[in-house]
Amino acid sequence: MNILLLLFIFALAGFLGFELISKVPSQLHTPLMSGSNAISGITIVGAIIATGASTGLNFTAILGFIAVILATINVVGGYLVTDRMLAMFHNKKKGK
Amino acid sequence: MLTLAYIIASILFIFGIKMLGSAAQARRGNVVSAVGMLIAIVATMMDQHVLSYTWILAGIAIGSALGIVLAYSVKMTAMPEMVALLNGFGGLGSLLVGWAEAEEMRRVGWPHYLENLFGPELSLYDVNLQAIDWVAKFSNEINYIQIAIASAIIIGGITFTGSVLAYAKLSGMVSGRAMVFKGQKPFNAFLLLAMLAATVLFVQGGQWAHVSLFAIIIVSLVLGILGVLPIGGGDMPVVISLLNSLSGLAAAAAGFIIANNVLIVSGCLVGTSGIILSVIMCKAMNRSLKNVLVGGFGSSAQEKSDGDDVEPKAISASDAYHVLEAAQRVVFVPGYGMAVAQAQHVVKELGQLLENNGAEVSYAIHPVAGRMPGHMNVLLAEADVPYEQLVEMDTVNPTMPSVDVAIVIGANDVVNPAAINETTSPIYGMPIIRAHEAKSVFILKRGQGTGFSGLQNKLFTMPNASMIYGDAKATVAAIVSEFKSM
């Protein structure tokens, strides 16, 4: 059933990741890291599903709620911080 | 619809990461990836399984507020610990998702849980629930989900405490040095075995399943601390990259639980990107990943390298000015100390003055300078140092003998010539910036201590080297004012 399909997707994404990242120049490593860090906040999708699975605030939903907060910090903080850094790279290029 | 949105989000992530790899497109790439995230979140909210929005929206609001405050209050010099902290939040998020799914399955029972998960194709047992032994029928699926839950919790837990400890080390809340204690390795091995046993019990189900779930959570949290504890100082860039990778893998594991492609794809992308960066960092230090992870590097004070205890020669800022004033080629070698002293702006000012004075100025960046990959580039960019003046190690090294003055600012191990000529040195073989080949070398340093590796630096006592003790920012500012008063 679709377990194998999921593993297949996982493997393909791994190869894709290797292809994408190995070409990045070293001066962009910090923004790359914080940008990909923001993407790892995708776990928010799981957190939303867990929180919304029932109408009340049972134990599952409480765990999910905390997870939503944490994942959102990861996502929002990660993207904004990356943008701040990259903005500096840009200004500099224009300046010179 | 949902699947389509997830596919679009995944594509946007892939393009985003690809664009992050080129300086001109990087900022747009980040936006592209953020749009992907927005699509994924909105699409999930539209999902039929989401019954109530109150707590989701509250969580997003709180998280966004905190994220915005963090992102705009952090100083550029504190970026490594910021990334570590955000990473930790992501890891804990994945742990909680795993835990929540385990609780949900206990709450609704397997038949409903599976039906929610896999949709109508598996809901045939609904017709006659009692007649079908669903546990036997779906035992593969159940085992698979249990394993995924355990993985998300284990990886997420290690990521969380590991990242928080890395944050504490980088921000100076605890000592940044490697810490090892007696019997650490056997203890770690014992914990790993205990975790394996708990996982087996959890996957098998039965009366011990719930207790072993908590055991898994606790052991994974402890393992995160023990894993990062023996790693310190100059190895931090590797640790940060690796934790970044783990946070992605934790998200992917959470994706396996709920059979969600977008989590699997993006988690895996982050996972591989972190691993690649770790390997790049390791290569730059001529160490293996295993060697870094085993840790303990520089935890004990190394015996002083053989023999002559020559005092390094110290000079004043105005002596330095007189040499710099006549210099034709100047290379700055920044390190973590520049970040600590917040000296990047005044360094840029000095560089500008030297240029006006007719000197050729460049900044030599070692791949592992600072505490995260590319750390120095970000700081110098913040100070508006022109892109063309940043040069990589391999470009600058052949030209070193023609450099009049190399100014080492808060860097130590990356300019230690022991890496080239002392076979017994722990850093032997690590590629370094050959600052010692310049006609004269100024080393800006706070005191006479060793670098993070705890090694004596032969460079400091070489005849062409002069130390300028004191806060790097104050020292550079003093040289700048000498220039201005002329």
Side-chain angles (χ1 to χ4, degrees):
Chain A
M1 75 139 276
N2 59 11
I3 298 170
L4 283 178
L5 188 65
L6 295 176
L7 283 170
F8 179 63
I9 290 170
F10 182 77
L12 281 186
F15 280 109
L16 187 62
F18 273 108
E19 276 302 306
L20 284 175
I21 310 295
S22 39
K23 293 171 193 136
V24 176
S26 65
Q27 69 261 27
L28 286 168
H29 279 169
T30 294
L32 172 71
M33 184 168 282
S34 66
S36 61
N37 185 15
I39 294 179
S40 70
I42 187 70
T43 199
I44 191 176
V45 165
I48 289 175
I49 292 175
T51 314
S54 51
T55 44
L57 194 64
N58 52 32
F59 193 49
T60 307
I62 293 174
L63 292 174
F65 171 63
I66 303 173
V68 169
I69 296 180
L70 292 166
T72 312
I73 297 177
N74 190 182
V75 168
V76 174
Y79 280 122
L80 288 179
V81 128
T82 310
D83 188 64
R84 256 186 78 193
M85 269 190 272
L86 291 170
M88 291 175 338
F89 282 96
H90 269 257
N91 290 344
K92 180 189 56 193
K93 280 206 131 179
K94 251 180 273 166
K96 191 81 186 181
Chain B
M1 252 325 274
L2 188 61
T3 313
L4 188 65
Y6 282 161
I7 291 173
I8 293 172
S10 304
I11 291 173
L12 290 177
F13 286 144
I14 292 165
F15 269 101
I17 291 186
K18 189 174 164 57
M19 288 164 81
L20 272 177
S22 89
Q25 292 179 306
R27 199 174 180 192
R28 251 183 305 150
N30 190 46
V31 175
V32 167
S33 138
V35 169
M37 183 65 76
L38 190 68
I39 292 176
I41 291 173
V42 172
T44 310
M45 303 271 268
M46 300 298 173
D47 182 25
Q48 50 179 345
H49 291 125
V50 176
L51 304 175
S52 138
Y53 290 99
T54 327
W55 292 101
I56 296 173
L57 292 175
I60 290 178
I62 297 171
S64 302
L66 290 173
I68 290 170
V69 171
L70 277 179
Y72 283 103
S73 61
V74 63
K75 286 205 180 87
M76 282 302 150
T77 44
M79 207 46 88
E81 49 263 45
M82 176 72 180
V83 171
L85 193 63
L86 289 174
N87 225 356
F89 288 151
L92 185 56
S94 294
L95 181 153
L96 290 174
V97 168
W99 187 4
E101 290 302 324
E103 295 294 339
E104 181 67 4
M105 145 212 125
R106 259 166 59 88
R107 191 177 70 88
V108 299
W110 272 115
H112 283 288
Y113 188 83
L114 287 171
E115 188 188 356
N116 278 341
L117 204 56
F118 294 111
E121 66 173 293
L122 286 191
S123 67
L124 36 140
Y125 52 83
D126 243 3
V127 186
N128 190 354
L129 200 58
Q130 307 306 330
I132 301 176
D133 184 357
W134 47 266
V135 175
K137 189 168 170 64
F138 296 106
S139 65
N140 283 339
E141 282 79 1
I142 290 173
N143 281 342
Y144 148 83
I145 292 170
Q146 301 275 53
I147 291 173
I149 288 177
S151 310
I153 290 177
I154 293 168
I155 305 174
I158 293 175
T159 309
F160 172 57
T161 48
S163 300
V164 169
L165 182 58
Y167 167 78
K169 279 191 171 195
L170 287 166
S171 60
M173 280 191 277
V174 299
S175 161
R177 284 191 181 280
M179 281 173 267
V180 283
F181 57 85
K182 221 173 166 219
Q184 190 164 14
K185 276 170 201 160
F187 188 61
N188 285 353
F190 165 75
L191 282 180
L192 277 175
L193 282 178
M195 191 164 71
L196 203 64
T199 308
V200 170
L201 277 178
F202 175 69
V203 172
Q204 279 181 342
Q207 54 171 337
W208 293 103
H210 204 228
V211 177
S212 39
L213 174 71
F214 291 115
I216 295 173
I217 295 176
I218 292 167
V219 174
S220 68
L221 293 175
V222 175
L223 271 178
I225 294 177
L226 291 180
V228 175
L229 210 53
I231 311 176
D235 288 345
M236 266 349 234
V238 181
V239 177
I240 301 286
S241 315
L242 212 57
L243 288 169
N244 195 34
S245 168
L246 284 181
S247 74
L249 293 179
F256 276 109
I257 307 174
I258 54 174
N260 187 312
N261 286 336
V262 74
L263 260 76
I264 294 175
V265 169
S266 40
C268 187
L269 283 176
V270 178
T272 45
S273 103
I275 287 174
I276 292 171
L277 288 178
S278 317
V279 171
I280 293 175
M281 296 297 115
C282 285
K283 271 193 193 146
M285 297 193 295
N286 193 36
R287 318 239 323 259
S288 70
L289 193 56
K290 184 170 153 260
N291 182 286
V292 172
L293 289 180
V294 167
F297 190 72
S299 60
S300 55
Q302 311 285 338
E303 82 270 29
K304 273 196 174 170
S305 40
D306 42 300
D308 46 6
D309 265 324
V310 192
E311 263 306 292
K313 175 175 74 201
I315 60 167
S316 71
S318 80
D319 297 336
Y321 158 72
H322 289 294
V323 180
L324 282 173
E325 208 255 330
Q328 288 305 302
R329 277 201 69 197
V330 179
V331 173
F332 289 96
V333 185
Y336 186 54
M338 185 182 81
V340 174
Q342 309 260 353
Q344 65 273 27
H345 294 279
V346 65
V347 165
K348 145 93 197 321
E349 199 181 349
L350 179 59
Q352 193 76 53
L353 286 168
L354 287 167
E355 270 203 311
N356 297 346
N357 194 35
E360 186 193 322
V361 177
S362 56
Y363 298 79
I365 316 262
H366 191 276
V368 293
R371 288 295 175 265
M372 74 182 288
H375 192 189
M376 291 301 121
N377 300 85
V378 171
L379 290 185
L380 293 170
E382 186 200 11
D384 273 337
V385 169
Y387 200 72
E388 312 78 62
Q389 290 185 356
L390 306 181
V391 287
E392 289 185 24
M393 177 171 66
D394 295 335
T395 323
V396 77
N397 272 344
T399 67
M400 265 301 173
S402 70
V403 168
D404 293 311
V405 184
I407 307 178
V408 178
I409 306 172
N412 195 338
D413 296 328
V414 296
V415 291
N416 191 344
I420 301 175
N421 51 29
E422 254 178 59
T423 42
T424 55
S425 170
I427 59 167
Y428 179 71
M430 165 174 155
I432 60 161
I433 293 181
R434 296 168 172 256
H436 60 280
E437 289 179 357
K439 285 169 195 147
S440 40
V441 189
F442 295 157
I443 299 117
L444 274 56
K445 210 166 169 304
R446 218 167 347 177
Q448 297 192 332
T450 54
F452 254 116
S453 70
L455 295 176
Q456 294 293 329
N457 195 333
K458 275 280 168 67
L459 170 68
F460 299 166
T461 51
M462 286 174 85
N464 59 342
S466 320
M467 311 296 291
I468 310 177
Y469 291 115
D471 175 65
K473 191 175 180 180
T475 306
V476 179
I479 302 176
V480 165
S481 65
E482 290 272 348
F483 256 103
K484 283 183 174 162
S485 62
M486 285 298 140

